[in-house]
Amino acid sequence: MQETISAGTRQADDSATEQRPPLWRRLRTAYADHVGRTERPLLIAWAAFAATFGITRAVTYWLHTGHGPSSGGITAGGRHLHHYNIGIMLLGAVGAVAVRGRADHHRHPMTAAAYGSGAALIIDEAALLIDLKDVYWANDGRKSVDAAIATIALGGAYLAAVPFWNAAARELSHPTRRPR
């Protein structure tokens, strides 16, 4: 008798699964319903920062261990180009969009992703920029990793509670406002 109940329950579960939209569609709906217009570019920039930082660290480690091009990375005219240069170019492009671009591009996902990626490429080499010498694999290079982890953590804390932080900013900018 137990077998019959299990088979009946399984059949009911199968039909319920067939009627539900696929997971990707449900997630897309949840994203559209619960991530506001202001939070979307922030979330995309934060995710791009984290992904770019992780991928950059993996690629530079791969190059550092002797894989890839013999030059050890990107070169132009025999000169090594650090990835912070690409980050500066990306942030310059984002700045151009902010200053002169169309309004619908200001919060565009590509603009947000370029901002997050550009920031990650610069932060990853923060120690180089601070010390003005290539300390990427030295103990001083740890400053870059610490800065990136702190940026990711702070970005996540902000994104986790955007409405609160916006309300706090309003309260701080209007200290004489009467309580509600």
Side-chain angles (χ1 to χ4, degrees), residues 7 10 15 18 32 47 60 65 70 78 82 86 89 113 117 124 135 140 149 170 179:
R10 190 178 318 114
S15 65
E18 290 174 15
T60 54
T65 58
S70 61
H82 291 272
I86 298 167
M89 287 186 280
S117 294
D124 186 52
V135 293
D140 285 347
I149 291 170
R170 280 192 304 276

Side-chain angles (χ1 to χ4, degrees), residues 73-124:
I74 302 169
T75 58
R79 188 172 188 88
H80 176 76
L81 296 177
H82 291 272
H83 50 270
Y84 75 81
N85 298 113
I86 298 167
I88 290 170
M89 287 186 280
L90 282 172
L91 291 187
V94 169
V97 168
V99 171
R100 186 69 178 127
R102 293 187 348 217
D104 59 333
H105 290 165
H106 291 185
R107 293 180 188 257
H108 193 277
M110 288 301 293
T111 305
Y115 177 79
S117 294
L121 292 169
I122 293 169
I123 293 292
D124 186 52

